[in-house]
Amino acid sequence: PAPPVQDLVVRTGPQLRPDPGRVITKLFVPGDDVPEYGSRSAAVIDRVMAMDEAAVEAELAATLDRFAGRHHRLADTFTDHFTSVSHRVALAARPSAARCRLIGAYFTHEYAVEGAALFNPSIVPAPDQSGLGEDRLRFVMSVRAVGEGHLSSIGFRTGVIGPDDRLTVDEPGPHLFTGQHRRVLCDSAVFHGKLAEEGYDDELTAFLRRNLSARFTDKDLEQALSELHPQLHTRESAHRTMDRIHEIAANNYEVEFSGESDIGGRVLWPVGPSESHGMEDARFVLFTEEDGSQIYYATYTAYDGRRIAPQLLETADFLTFRASQLTGAAAVNKGMALFPRRIGGRYFALSRRDRESNSLTCSDNMHTWPEPQTLQTPHHPWELVQLGNCGSPIETEAGWLLLTHGVGPMRDYAISAVLLDLEDPYRILGALSEPLLTAQPGEREGYVPNVVYSCGALVHQGTLVLPYGTSDTGISFARIQLSALLDRLTTS
């Protein structure tokens, strides 16, 4: 009999752990205002305004001395945060620049993006491969970082694979950056698709469908809403619909990072209403169009505290990212993953619409995904709770290599693999009858015990490089000889 398939797996490279010292600055408002007690924010400002100038300058200098080394241009952040609360300062007061910054400091706090956990990576070739021989590959790896309140963001690491089986991860820079955000054009088809999915299909949405162009701005939307019949404005249902309309439009935005930041220092922080409680499990893939051009896409799970939904990121350089919503029957729940190219002129994606099986959908539009077809249902003991993908399929000469995850008794996770036909990915050519990778001693303890999970692997010079999260706490790496794995899949 053939040896256990797990014998093909060689654990390698470094182990990454969350670093609570990686912090960002956020606006801090000290508690909600309570009318009978007055505004706490105003009280804080009044106390700083009452300090003499020498004390203000001394406290500002001491604060910058303690914290400036942890952040990029911290004094400018204090100025920005003062601007956010400056409406509470009397116009006649005219505080000095130092006093403004000190007020801003009292309305600033640090957030440790990795304070609780770091896990669920996906890995892709980096845009810049300059200076490397053919035996080496520079990579970008996305990570899910979790901090206070179980709030998830998307971070990055970079490193090099090779020569031979070596794998190194770069030490990230000392500062984290969350980038500059701006709203972008909204796609009318996706916008109205989201409204219809949520049951908002009435006179108001019909009016917008007639009066908004295929792509529209915030200004276009507000102009259209201003032209509504006055009678519609008096309806309570119309106000609820308008609130949701503004939320959906706000979920389309762009983030641009400064060239002063390194990729490992960039954090995609929740911005849109749909992701207010977290951005989870990004599955990055380098997508090649039919004309040979390439772009990075990633599906990720947006969570607003009540609803979860897959959304799309796209970037050419990991410097500017665009976030947008997805619609359609397949664009629900967690775990969507895109194929790295079109097949027969159409886009393909994996879905887990029913929350427990792998299914497949195809579309002429990257943002709209119709009803999926079931591809694989739970069958083996180690996957009877649920199945899902471990990132985008990888193209090989033998077929599409799809890494999967399964959940068994005691919520014990395992990673396995199936092989799909290159031209007809609805056709399964082979599937492992046993797990490829399960948690070993030392990998079982953590934030969520007994989990091994990946959001994407890659192949370099015949070796499958698989980064994976361990117990929702850290990240480890494994390598697998691709030809040996394909042999097992084609003979299973």
Side-chain angles (χ1 to χ4, degrees), residues 7-76:
D7 288 356
L8 300 179
V9 177
V10 178
R11 284 162 167 83
T12 188
Q15 294 182 334
L16 305 184
R17 292 294 179 264
D19 180 358
R22 289 172 63 77
V23 290
I24 61 174
T25 55
K26 288 174 56 62
L27 182 68
F28 168 66
V29 179
D32 296 328
D33 291 348
V34 181
E36 60 267 33
Y37 294 106
S39 166
R40 288 188 62 194
S41 298
V44 171
I45 291 172
D46 288 345
R47 292 167 192 147
V48 180
M49 292 297 292
M51 296 171 65
D52 65 60
E53 194 66 25
V56 165
E57 292 178 357
E59 185 60 32
L60 177 62
T63 302
L64 288 171
D65 184 60
R66 289 197 303 274
F67 293 101
R70 295 160 66 89
H71 304 280
H72 183 66
R73 297 181 178 173
L74 182 60
D76 291 344

Side-chain angles (χ1 to χ4, degrees), residues 192 205-213 216 220 224-225 227:
H192 289 293
T205 56
F207 174 85
L208 291 179
R209 193 175 290 110
R210 292 193 303 269
N211 289 275
L212 288 174
S213 57
F216 61 88
D220 297 331
L225 290 172
E227 295 172 2

Side-chain angles (χ1 to χ4, degrees), residues 339 343 350 358 360 375-376 382 392-404 416-434 436 459 464 481-492:
F339 278 63
I343 303 172
L350 293 153
N358 277 321
L360 191 60
L375 182 69
Q376 185 188 25
W382 41 272
S392 295
I394 297 170
E395 186 169 7
T396 73
E397 291 184 357
W400 294 107
L401 173 63
L402 171 61
L403 296 175
T404 65
S416 192
V418 299
L419 191 67
L420 310 178
D421 187 86
L422 284 179
E423 299 307 318
D424 180 14
Y426 291 97
R427 179 169 166 247
I428 297 178
L429 301 178
L432 297 180
S433 59
E434 56 185 311
L436 179 64
V459 172
L464 177 68
Q481 186 181 15
L482 180 63
S483 59
L485 176 58
L486 293 176
D487 284 346
R488 296 296 291 267
L489 282 164
T490 54
T491 59
S492 60

Side-chain angles (χ1 to χ4, degrees), residues 229-243:
H229 191 282
Q231 190 174 8
L232 285 178
H233 282 288
T234 65
R235 298 181 183 177
E236 184 179 348
S237 61
H239 288 286
R240 289 196 299 269
T241 302
M242 282 192 280
D243 287 343

Side-chain angles (χ1 to χ4, degrees), residues 156-483:
F156 300 96
R157 296 291 191 275
T158 58
V160 174
I161 301 168
D164 300 321
D165 293 321
R166 290 172 54 193
L167 186 150
T168 58
V169 177
D170 302 326
E171 187 70 26
H175 300 137
L176 291 180
F177 300 78
T178 54
Q180 296 294 317
H181 302 85
R182 55 179 173 263
R183 298 281 286 273
V184 295
L185 288 170
C186 191
D187 184 285
S188 186
V190 176
F191 175 77
H192 289 293
K194 296 301 293 184
L195 285 171
E197 286 171 6
E198 297 176 17
Y200 295 97
D201 191 6
D202 51 22
E203 291 175 88
L204 195 158
T205 56
F207 174 85
L208 291 179
R209 193 175 290 110
R210 292 193 303 269
N211 289 275
L212 288 174
S213 57
R215 294 172 68 80
F216 61 88
T217 65
D218 285 350
K219 185 177 179 180
D220 297 331
L221 177 60
E222 295 309 317
Q223 178 63 35
L225 290 172
S226 72
E227 295 172 2
L228 282 171
H229 191 282
Q231 190 174 8
L232 285 178
H233 282 288
T234 65
R235 298 181 183 177
E236 184 179 348
S237 61
H239 288 286
R240 289 196 299 269
T241 302
M242 282 192 280
D243 287 343
R244 189 62 185 137
I245 282 169
H246 285 111
E247 288 179 354
I248 291 174
N251 290 323
N252 299 275
Y253 63 87
E254 200 167 76
V255 184
E256 184 173 8
F257 289 91
S258 164
E260 298 176 272
S261 64
D262 64 290
I263 293 178
R266 297 169 194 163
V267 176
L268 294 174
W269 183 257
V271 171
S274 64
E275 59 197 30
S276 59
H277 284 61
M279 304 171 71
E280 305 177 359
D281 300 345
R283 287 160 160 81
F284 274 86
V285 62
L286 178 57
F287 189 91
T288 302
E289 266 293 3
E290 293 174 319
D291 62 2
S293 62
Q294 293 186 312
I295 189 169
Y296 297 92
Y297 287 117
T299 50
Y300 69 99
T301 300
Y303 177 49
D304 69 1
R306 294 186 300 117
R307 295 171 294 232
I308 57 173
Q311 294 193 171
L312 184 70
L313 291 168
E314 54 186 285
T315 181
D317 51 13
F318 289 89
L319 195 66
T320 302
F321 297 81
R322 179 179 177 132
S324 54
Q325 291 192 294
L326 301 174
T327 188
V332 294
N333 296 320
K334 296 186 175 186
M336 279 196 77
L338 303 172
F339 278 63
R341 65 169 174 84
R342 299 191 199 214
I343 303 172
R346 308 194 78 192
Y347 299 103
F348 277 73
L350 293 153
S351 170
R352 204 176 72 193
R353 183 188 178 188
D354 64 0
R355 305 181 68 181
E356 64 179 22
S357 304
N358 277 321
S359 58
L360 191 60
T361 180
C362 62
S363 176
D364 297 322
N365 183 329
M366 181 62 81
H367 291 85
T368 302
W369 297 96
E371 187 75 35
Q373 179 178 317
T374 300
L375 182 69
Q376 185 188 25
T377 58
H379 175 70
H380 299 289
W382 41 272
E383 62 185 19
L384 292 185
V385 173
Q386 70 185 46
L387 273 171
N389 67 72
C390 278
S392 295
I394 297 170
E395 186 169 7
T396 73
E397 291 184 357
W400 294 107
L401 173 63
L402 171 61
L403 296 175
T404 65
H405 73 266
V407 183
M410 293 293 290
R411 203 187 177 202
D412 194 19
Y413 275 64
I415 293 175
S416 192
V418 299
L419 191 67
L420 310 178
D421 187 86
L422 284 179
E423 299 307 318
D424 180 14
Y426 291 97
R427 179 169 166 247
I428 297 178
L429 301 178
L432 297 180
S433 59
E434 56 185 311
L436 179 64
L437 187 147
T438 57
Q440 288 188 339
E443 295 178 338
R444 291 194 174 279
E445 290 72 39
Y447 194 45
V448 182
N450 305 313
V451 176
V452 288
Y453 194 93
S454 180
C455 291
L458 60 73
V459 172
H460 175 60
Q461 292 198 325
T463 297
L464 177 68
V465 178
L466 172 64
Y468 62 98
T470 57
S471 296
D472 284 11
T473 297
I475 294 171
S476 294
F477 296 86
R479 54 181 171 85
I480 303 155
Q481 186 181 15
L482 180 63
S483 59

